[in-house]
Amino acid sequence: MENKEMRCRDVAYTINRSVLYEQELGGPAPNPPSTVRSFVGAAKRKFRCSASAAKQTLFQFIPILHWLPRYPVKEWLLGDIVSGVSVGILQLPQGLAYALLAGVPPVFGLYSSFFPVMVYSIFGTSRHVSIGSFAVVSIMIGSVTESLVPNDNFILPGNDSLLVDTVARDKARVEVVAAMTLLVGLFQIILGLVQFGFVVTYLSKPLVRGYTTAATIHVTVSQLKHIFGLPLSEKSQPLSLIYSLVSLFRRIQRTNIGTLVIGLVCLTCLFAVKEVNQRLRGKLPMPIPIELIVLVISTGISYGINLHEKYGVDIVGDIPTGVLSTTRLVTPIVPKAELFVEVVGNAFAIAVVGYTITISLAKMFAMKHGYKVDSNQELIALGFSNLVGSFFHCFAVTASMSRTLVQESTGGNTQVASTVSALIILVIILKAGELFTCLPRAILSGIVIANLKGMYKQFMDIPILWQTNKFDLLIWLVTFLSTICLNMDIGLAVSVVFGLFTVTFRSQLPHYSILGQVYETDLYRDAEENSMAKEISGIKIFHWNAAIYFANAELYSKALKAKMGVNVDRLIEKKKKAAMKRKKGLQKVIRLAKNILAKTQMGTGLEFLTNKDGMLGSLSTLSETIPNAPTLCSLGLEKLEFHSLILDFSAVSFIDTVGVKVLKNIFEEVREIEVDVYLASCPTSVLRQLEYSHFFKGSVSQASVFASVHDAVSYLSYGISESSSVQEITEI
């Protein structure tokens, strides 16, 4: 490092050129075509009729046609098979468990682990992400199903134990979930087709992490009723999390001891083995499938001891008749369109959140392995996965962090691994579905909670963001608290609005400064923060580090006047008052002279004051001899210490019509106090906007715009020295 610094100091450069105005560089280029014309042009080029273009479009839309024929079987097949088996073993318990979060019977979690995965393998561009059920998206779906299809609507009559007709309830919830999944898929496909993948940029990383952390708490609380074995009704209104906890503690004395013991033993085993997997991940060929082991053992014990009958332990129960057959899959059914209106808002939120999670994981692993993913194609792939899945009663899916890590770490190279995992789920659906009827629900809840361990670590973002960026910390906290208090859907909306508000707020509090020149260089830095930068005598250089638009245009004007070190408005007012006073004094003198001359007789020697018509020629033109624009010195006011003001626009990304108007006023006001104003380092887009707004008509010309701050300083310094020399010669 020291050698690099030494070499840097030894290198020097000198450039000799004349001072450049911005217009001498050719001015702004012609206005680029509009977004609509660009999109139409791109569409025409993309879909122009030719064999090569059609082939390229087909490969882009269906990536498997491109990479599968080139698949290196000998190098990758074994790794993909091992990875697929590992992911399938993990996908089984997670699919069953996350179905509970979505508010549907566990078997539908298996469907969601099969149909969407097969579709994504065809359309997806990521080689490593594992598509399927995920806790955050599942709890978002569950909040909708619990709100639209609550338990209270299905309480059996004639009993005081709040028994619920679960068959009718589950059927209604499956219909709601299917309709919502269809809309999620349509939203994602439409956004992908219109190249709207950038929508994810409105969900910043602090926002996503704060939201998922709050969702983790929602997930945990929603599973406590299964751990304690308490029949609680779900709530989805604001403060539902608080209501759920209050309801839980009110009925804590009715806890089913058998269910609680099963849940605690399950959690202990899961956390212990997961910690072993974490510590020995470099030595184990694959993580110990503790979820599957717990699933098999608990199902066997439950069946052998008959936990449901003897101890009242809640189990998964029978799979609904007509939904699953041992010889065929579920029959596809079109979701009910009348439910779309009720779930459209939630569907859009789930579509965006699901895509955000998927594209984040896809880009992370693509960067690690040196390939690229297409953001818009990922939207389309995820959309088709959900669209097709909706006809098979699947709930919305996204990428899972835990399964993706397993898929990548166990040798997975392509989506062949996902296909293998989906086939394992298919075998279980066709041949082993009946085995899960005796599975305790507390086991599934334990699996859900244990898999949230990594997401709870996101609370460590708080001290990190406190040290690095307090605005991001504020976004994280507001997102977390709003999601906790207002529920998942409203919390997400509040978070996005607040995130956009912080952007606007930060643009209203930009950094601005007076620049000074680093001695004998063309570098200019904040004169207050850099000891090597010194202000140039007679010249003020104002730097503003933000766009200039309606929200901060007035702030720009105030900041500039404050940094100039002079009360511009007060000085202009003094000048106007002094000029008015002088004008009134002159008018008073003229009136007095008129009165005197009117009484003067001819022949008294004062005839020279009149012209040939006998009028007061000399006095009538007396006011015309006074300058129309008197200077500060002529009015007895103190002249400013600087004569020129340079506005550094290098960091101004755009300017709107309000900003242009304020800038025009600044030019007029500053020139009123006898200071010349110049622009420097003006971006082409900003210069174009100034031209469109007729900024350079009237008293402001393009000669006031320099290519750089140093060009403006060199021009002004040369002009000062030249005028000083002329003044000295005149005095001699």
Side-chain angles (χ1 to χ4, degrees):
M1 188 68 181
E2 293 179 358
N3 293 334
K4 289 184 178 180
E5 290 181 358
M6 292 293 293
R7 288 198 299 270
C8 249
R9 292 173 183 172
D10 293 338
V11 175
Y13 69 92
T14 303
I15 299 177
N16 293 320
R17 64 172 177 82
S18 59
V19 172
L20 291 175
Y21 294 104
E22 184 65 40
Q23 60 184 353
E24 294 179 308
L25 298 177
N31 190 30
S34 67
T35 304
V36 175
R37 293 199 301 271
S38 298
F39 176 77
V40 173
K44 288 181 179 178
R45 290 191 299 271
K46 186 174 181 179
F47 296 106
R48 65 179 182 271
C49 188
S50 70
S52 60
K55 183 178 179 181
Q56 182 180 359
T57 302
L58 184 64
F59 284 169
Q60 182 178 352
F61 186 66
I62 310 177
I64 194 173
L65 298 178
H66 177 73
W67 62 263
L68 189 58
R70 299 171 174 81
Y71 183 79
V73 177
K74 294 182 179 180
E75 291 84 358
W76 285 1
L77 182 59
L78 180 60
D80 280 337
I81 292 176
V82 173
S83 175
V85 172
S86 304
V87 173
I89 292 173
L90 182 61
Q91 183 114 275
L92 169 61
Q94 288 189 359
L96 293 171
Y98 293 152
L100 292 181
L101 291 179
V104 295
V107 70
F108 293 98
L110 297 182
Y111 293 154
S112 301
S113 301
F114 172 68
F115 293 105
V117 175
M118 296 297 294
V119 175
Y120 181 84
S121 299
I122 298 172
F123 295 99
T125 60
S126 174
R127 289 167 21 196
H128 293 92
V129 297
S130 175
I131 296 297
S133 55
F134 185 61
V136 173
V137 173
S138 297
I139 192 64
M140 293 178 70
I141 298 170
S143 67
V144 180
T145 58
E146 292 167 2
S147 173
L148 298 180
V149 191
N151 283 340
D152 297 341
N153 294 353
F154 298 91
I155 297 177
L156 295 174
N159 66 83
D160 299 326
S161 57
L162 297 179
L163 292 179
V164 176
D165 185 356
T166 56
V167 175
R169 181 202 63 185
D170 291 344
K171 181 181 178 181
R173 287 186 175 182
V174 168
E175 292 175 349
V176 171
V177 167
M180 185 161 50
T181 304
L182 176 63
L183 289 181
V184 169
L186 287 177
F187 279 132
Q188 290 172 333
I189 292 173
I190 293 172
L191 292 176
L193 290 176
V194 299
Q195 309 290 297
F196 212 64
F198 68 88
V199 70
V200 71
T201 58
Y202 292 102
L203 300 179
S204 64
K205 186 176 180 179
L207 187 150
V208 172
R209 291 177 71 86
Y211 183 77
T212 53
T213 305
T216 300
I217 302 226
H218 276 281
V219 170
T220 303
V221 172
S222 70
Q223 296 308 296
L224 291 179
K225 63 183 180 181
H226 297 299
I227 297 293
F228 286 90
L230 295 174
L232 300 178
S233 60
E234 298 90 352
K235 301 180 184 299
S236 59
Q237 72 269 27
L239 299 178
S240 61
L241 189 71
I242 309 299
Y243 293 139
S244 297
L245 288 174
V246 171
S247 179
L248 177 71
F249 287 115
R250 281 179 177 174
R251 301 186 181 183
I252 197 72
Q253 71 277 4
R254 299 169 61 183
T255 299
N256 185 298
I257 302 301
T259 302
L260 179 61
V261 170
I262 292 173
L264 293 178
V265 171
C266 172
L267 285 172
T268 303
C269 295
L270 289 171
F271 281 123
V273 178
K274 282 181 176 292
E275 186 65 25
V276 172
N277 284 337
Q278 180 70 19
R279 293 177 181 243
L280 301 179
R281 60 182 176 180
K283 300 179 181 180
L284 295 174
M286 63 174 287
I288 301 173
I290 184 60
E291 289 96 341
L292 181 63
I293 295 173
V294 169
L295 197 71
V296 173
I297 294 176
S298 60
T299 302
I301 294 175
S302 176
Y303 178 79
I305 303 179
N306 198 0
L307 293 175
H308 179 61
E309 296 294 336
K310 290 185 177 181
Y311 302 99
V313 175
D314 193 16
I315 60 175
V316 170
D318 294 332
I319 296 171
T321 304
V323 177
L324 182 65
S325 171
T326 57
T327 58
R328 63 182 177 85
L329 290 175
V330 62
T331 303
I333 300 176
V334 178
K336 292 185 176 180
E338 56 267 25
L339 297 173
F340 290 168
V341 177
E342 300 181 43
V343 298
V344 61
N346 300 94
F348 184 79
I350 293 171
V352 174
V353 172
Y355 170 67
T356 302
I357 296 169
T358 300
I359 196 62
S360 300
L361 288 174
K363 287 185 175 181
M364 181 175 70
F365 285 97
M367 184 179 298
K368 180 179 180 180
H369 292 274
Y371 65 93
K372 293 184 178 180
V373 293
D374 186 338
S375 299
N376 294 304
Q377 181 61 28
E378 284 297 298
L379 257 175
I380 295 173
L382 200 60
F384 271 113
S385 299
N386 287 314
L387 181 66
V388 173
S390 68
F391 295 102
F392 296 93
H393 309 298
C394 300
F395 52 83
V397 297
T398 185
S400 165
M401 180 60 140
S402 60
R403 294 195 305 271
T404 301
L405 287 172
V406 171
Q407 180 165 316
E408 188 262 348
S409 61
T410 53
N413 295 290
T414 64
Q415 285 299 320
V416 170
S418 296
T419 305
V420 172
S421 69
L423 292 177
I424 292 176
I425 298 298
L426 176 62
V427 172
I428 294 172
I429 292 175
L430 294 177
K431 300 297 183 182
E434 295 177 353
L435 298 179
F436 302 114
T437 57
C438 295
L439 176 65
R441 287 180 179 260
I443 297 295
L444 297 180
S445 296
I447 292 173
V448 170
I449 295 174
N451 280 300
L452 297 175
K453 177 184 175 183
M455 300 187 71
Y456 273 110
K457 293 180 179 179
Q458 292 179 163
F459 278 108
M460 296 306 298
D461 291 350
I462 295 176
I464 295 174
L465 292 176
W466 174 262
Q467 297 176 357
T468 56
N469 192 313
K470 291 182 174 58
F471 275 107
D472 285 346
L473 174 61
L474 189 61
I475 292 174
W476 196 103
L477 292 175
V478 169
T479 302
F480 177 81
L481 294 175
S482 61
T483 306
I484 288 291
C485 297
L486 302 177
N487 215 351
M488 304 287 291
D489 47 358
I490 302 177
L492 179 61
V494 171
S495 305
V496 172
V497 172
F498 182 79
L500 296 176
F501 171 76
T502 59
V503 174
T504 305
F505 182 75
R506 277 186 272 190
S507 70
Q508 292 181 294
L509 296 175
H511 178 75
Y512 51 87
S513 60
I514 294 294
L515 302 183
Q517 184 181 25
V518 179
Y519 183 65
E520 293 187 346
T521 69
D522 60 349
L523 302 176
Y524 296 84
R525 297 290 184 268
D526 189 338
E528 295 180 357
E529 297 182 357
N530 195 314
S531 59
M532 296 181 64
K534 304 297 180 184
E535 289 191 44
I536 303 171
S537 178
I539 302 175
K540 290 280 187 181
I541 307 171
F542 181 72
H543 176 80
W544 173 270
N545 194 24
I548 304 175
Y549 64 112
F550 67 93
N552 65 3
E554 288 299 326
L555 177 62
Y556 179 84
S557 177
K558 292 179 180 179
L560 171 62
K561 293 174 182 178
K563 283 293 183 180
M564 286 173 61
V566 58
N567 192 330
V568 177
D569 298 329
R570 179 63 177 165
L571 186 57
I572 293 176
E573 184 181 356
K574 285 184 177 180
K575 183 178 179 181
K576 289 182 178 180
K577 286 184 178 180
M580 184 61 66
K581 184 177 180 181
R582 181 176 182 177
K583 182 177 180 181
K584 289 181 179 179
L586 178 61
Q587 291 175 347
K588 185 176 181 180
V589 170
I590 292 176
R591 286 196 300 270
L592 180 62
K594 285 182 179 181
N595 292 334
I596 294 174
L597 292 176
K599 298 177 182 179
T600 303
Q601 300 294 329
M602 296 298 294
T604 58
L606 296 176
E607 292 85 351
F608 71 93
L609 293 175
T610 61
N611 54 24
K612 62 182 179 179
D613 298 323
M615 302 298 295
L616 299 175
S618 299
L619 289 178
S620 63
T621 59
L622 183 59
S623 61
E624 299 177 3
T625 63
I626 304 299
N628 290 327
T631 64
L632 293 172
C633 293
S634 66
L635 294 174
L637 300 175
E638 184 178 357
K639 188 175 178 62
L640 300 180
E641 296 179 354
F642 59 96
H643 54 78
S644 300
L645 173 66
I646 301 173
L647 304 179
D648 179 15
F649 265 41
S650 60
V652 178
S653 56
F654 72 90
I655 186 170
D656 66 356
T657 53
V658 177
V660 173
K661 184 177 180 180
V662 170
L663 188 63
K664 189 81 170 180
N665 292 338
I666 289 173
F667 267 73
E668 294 174 355
E669 291 175 355
V670 175
R671 286 179 175 178
E672 183 72 20
I673 59 174
E674 301 170 25
V675 175
D676 295 324
V677 190
Y678 303 91
L679 298 180
S681 302
C682 192
T684 303
S685 58
V686 175
L687 191 62
R688 182 183 293 113
Q689 183 60 46
L690 292 177
E691 289 184 349
Y692 290 164
S693 302
H694 307 294
F695 179 77
F696 296 111
K697 287 188 177 181
S699 59
V700 182
S701 68
Q702 291 203 4
S704 301
V705 186
F706 287 90
S708 69
V709 172
H710 194 63
D711 283 292
V713 171
S714 300
Y715 169 80
L716 295 173
S717 300
Y718 177 78
I720 295 169
S721 60
E722 188 178 53
S723 62
S724 300
S725 300
V726 172
Q727 185 176 359
E728 290 178 2
I729 294 173
T730 304
E731 290 176 354
I732 293 175

